[in-house]
Amino acid sequence: MTADVNQFPALDKTKFEQRGIEFRLGIPVTTAVSVGNSIAVGFGDGSVRIFTSGQSSDAIKAHKGIVLCMSKDGNHILTGGDDGRFLKISLDGVVTEIGNFGTRWVDNVTANNGSLVCSSGKIVYLWSPNNKEPKLFEHNSTVGGIAFDTKGKRLAVSRYDGVTLWKKDYTKKWVSSNLIWKGSHNKVSFSPDGKYLVTSMQENAIRCWRLKDKIDFAMSGYDRKIKSFAFVGETSYLATSGALGMGVAAAICWPFDGEGPMGRQPTCLSYTGNNEVTFVEPFPSENAIFAGLSDGSVFLSEIENKNNTIIIRSFTGSEVSAIAVTDDSSSILIGDMNGNILWTSIWDK
Amino acid sequence: MENKHQVPVTVLTGFLGAGKTTLLNRILTEQHGQKYAVIVNEFGEQGIDNDLVVDADEEVFEMNNGCICCTVRGDLIRILSGLMKRADKLDAIIVETTGLADPAPVAQTFFVDQDVANKTKLDAIVTVADAVHLSSQIEDHHEAEEQIAFGDVILLNKIDLVKDEDIDVVTKRIRKINPFAKIIKTTKCGAPLKEILNLDAFSLKRILEVEPDFLDSDHDHEHDDDITSLSFESNTPLNMEKFQDWFGKLLQTKGQDILRTKGILDFKDQNDRYVFQGVHMLMDASPMGKWPEGKERSSRLVFIGRNLESMNLREGFENCKSA
C-alpha cells in the first residue's frame, strides 16, 4: 500500500478544538452512539453520559464495570456490559434491564424493527416487541459480532471459522446457512446494498463474501488488527483501521461499487506520523471519513479527493476509541482511552 | 517492552482435583487490598470468592499464519482486551484453566495478539499437581504431562497423603519432563504466595537467573510420546548465521513436538548475550547486554518436548559452533 502524505502543523490547537468544548474525565471512553442531536458515550467505569449541544448529562450508572458495546433503538440507547446485563436507557437516564447473563459478558447489542438483540457467549438473544422470552440463536463458538442487513431480513453472526447467516423461511421460521473461513472473525457487517458481507479477523485482514455465489476473498496487507471498519458514501467504500506505514498512518478504503473490491486497489487516506489508525467513522451524507489515531488525533478526509484533508483534533497522547456525529451532521464527539472528550461543531458558523 | 505498564497474568493449571481452586481462593483471600480479575470456565469445581469473576469458554483456534501449531485462546483475547478498558486498574489477572487444558494456547496468546501483549504480560504458569495421582495421570493423559512441561512453578500438592519415597519418585518424574520449574511441596496448596505471584517468568531477563536442574535420568521406561527435556552447553562461540538457519528450520518442521525452548547464546564477534525463549514455533529473543565480567562465556540451550531423540539436536547444535 502506498500513500501520499499530508503534512500538518503539529501541536497547535485546531479551529475545531478552539471553538469546541473539551472534557477531561479521566475514564476510558469505550463507545459512542448518536441519538438525534445527542451523543451517548459509554465509559470504562460502567457509566453512560448523554452529550447535547456540548453539555454533558450527569453520569448514568448503567453497568458495574465496563460499557462494552452500545447501539440505539429509536430514541433510546442499548448497552451491554461486563456485569452480564443488557440495558435499554432513555436520554433522560431511565435504565431498563432487558436481559441478565450473570458472569458472562454481553459483547454485542443492536436493534432491528422493534426487536432488541444482544449476544452473550455463544448465543444471540432476540426479544420481539410482543414476547417476554427471547428467541435464542445458538452457535458453536463465542459470537464475535452481529449485524442485520439494511432491510432487517437477514442476521449475520460472526464466530470462529466463519459466519452464520440467519433468515426467516416462508413459514417465518429462522433458518441458518454457513459462510466458512478458518480463524477467528470479530466484527461483521453487510454492505449497504446487501450484496457483500465482511468480517474483521484476528489475522490483520478483512474477509469478504459475495453473497450471490458465496465467493470469498481477503483484503489484507494491514499492519495491525482491524479494530474498526465502516461502509461510507453513495458509491460505498469500506473504510478500515489497522494500517501503519513508514511515517504514515492511513485509513484504507476499498471500493464496493460495480464489481466490488476484487482485484482493485484501495484508496489510502493518510496522515503523517508513526501512528496507527484506530477508529474510522463515516461522515454521514458525505463521501468522507473521520479517522482517529493511536495518539489521539483525528483527521477528516474525502475519499475521492484525498488532498482535501482537515485535521479535526490534535495529539492527546491517548488512542481514539470512539467518534460519533450527530444525526444532523452538525457536530462531532471524539473520545479516547484517557477519557479526553472533544465536542465541536463541524461547519464554520 | 520493559517500561510500559503491563498487568501481570498468572495462569493456574493442573489436573482435575489437584487443588487449583484451593490455591485460587488462597490468593484471593490473602492478597486482599489487591484488585484481581479472575477468568474461569463454567465447569469450575468450587465457588470463587471475588468481586470480578469472568466466565469464559476455553476456545482455542488456529491462526492462519502458516504455523500449524499456533493455536491461541480467542476468549482470552476478547476478555483481556475488554478488561484493559476498565477505569480502575487491575493489579493482576488470574486465568484458571480446566483440568484437561493444554497450556500452550494460553501462552501463545501472549505472543500472537499485539493488544494483549502491549497491555498485559504472562507472569507465570503455575501447575498444581496431585502427589497421589500425578504418576498415573501422566501415563493416561497427555494433558497432565503438558501441564508439567509448561509449569514455571509446580505445586506438588497433597504430600501429606504420600510416603516420602513416593514423593521422590514423582519429583524425579517431574524433573525429567521439566528441569526449569520450581517445585514446591505442599499440603492444601500452602506455598508462600511470593513464590507463585509476580515471578515475571516469561521475561527474557529471568532466563538468565534460573539454572535448570537436570537429573541424570535413565531412559529405560520412556515411551516415544513421553515428554522429556534435553540440554546442551558449549564454550565455543556459535556462528550466528548457522544457528539461525538450524534453529529456524527446526522450529518450523518440529515445532509441534517442541513444547518449550530456552537459551542463552554466545555468538562469535558479538559483545552481547542473546537470550531467547519459545513456545512451540513462537519465539521471543533479544540481546540482553554484555556478558558479566570475569564470567566465562558459554551457550546453553534447553528443549522440552516429545520425540526429542529423533531430532538430532546434539548434532545440529555442534554444527553451529564457529570454526
Side-chain angles (χ1 to χ4, degrees), chain A residues 206-267:
Chain A
I206 295 274
R207 198 79 208 164
C208 182
W209 283 269
R210 189 166 68 190
L211 292 170
K212 68 174 180 189
D213 49 14
K214 291 195 178 182
I215 283 178
D216 65 285
F217 52 94
M219 290 175 266
S220 55
Y222 292 88
D223 310 283
R224 298 281 165 83
K225 196 154 67 171
I226 298 147
K227 294 182 193 171
S228 172
F229 65 80
F231 283 98
V232 53
E234 282 161 38
T235 48
S236 209
Y237 283 89
L238 178 71
T240 56
S241 73
L244 170 75
M246 297 290 283
V248 175
I252 309 298
C253 301
W254 299 89
F256 271 74
D257 58 328
E259 287 304 297
M262 257 185 294
R264 291 166 72 184
Q265 286 297 313
T267 300

Side-chain angles (χ1 to χ4, degrees), chain A residues 62-80:
Chain A
H63 297 280
K64 196 176 148 207
I66 316 160
V67 180
L68 290 170
C69 51
M70 191 185 270
S71 184
K72 69 175 156 185
D73 175 41
N75 54 4
H76 286 73
I77 57 164
L78 303 171
T79 61

Side-chain angles (χ1 to χ4, degrees), chain B residues 14-73:
Chain B
F15 220 63
L16 286 168
K20 288 193 295 288
T21 312
T22 308
L23 178 61
L24 181 55
N25 277 329
R26 264 204 58 216
I27 295 171
L28 295 174
T29 46
E30 288 180 33
Q31 298 285 99
H32 49 78
Q34 299 261 311
K35 184 103 191 155
Y36 279 89
V38 180
I39 303 172
V40 297
N41 62 84
E42 60 185 331
F43 305 110
E45 293 151 68
Q46 294 161 246
I48 289 148
D49 185 24
N50 194 44
D51 274 355
L52 190 54
V53 177
V54 188
D55 248 327
D57 292 303
E58 288 181 345
E59 293 189 313
V60 174
F61 72 92
E62 207 174 294
M63 292 290 293
N64 289 315
N65 56 4
C67 163
I68 47 168
C69 49
C70 186
T71 49
V72 298
R73 283 267 305 266

Side-chain angles (χ1 to χ4, degrees), chain A residues 6-25:
Chain A
N6 290 292
Q7 293 283 349
F8 293 100
L11 294 175
D12 290 341
K13 278 214 184 289
T14 68
K15 65 178 178 183
F16 299 94
E17 290 172 298
Q18 285 167 17
R19 70 183 179 219
I21 303 167
E22 290 179 84
F23 300 83
R24 304 199 184 283
L25 298 176

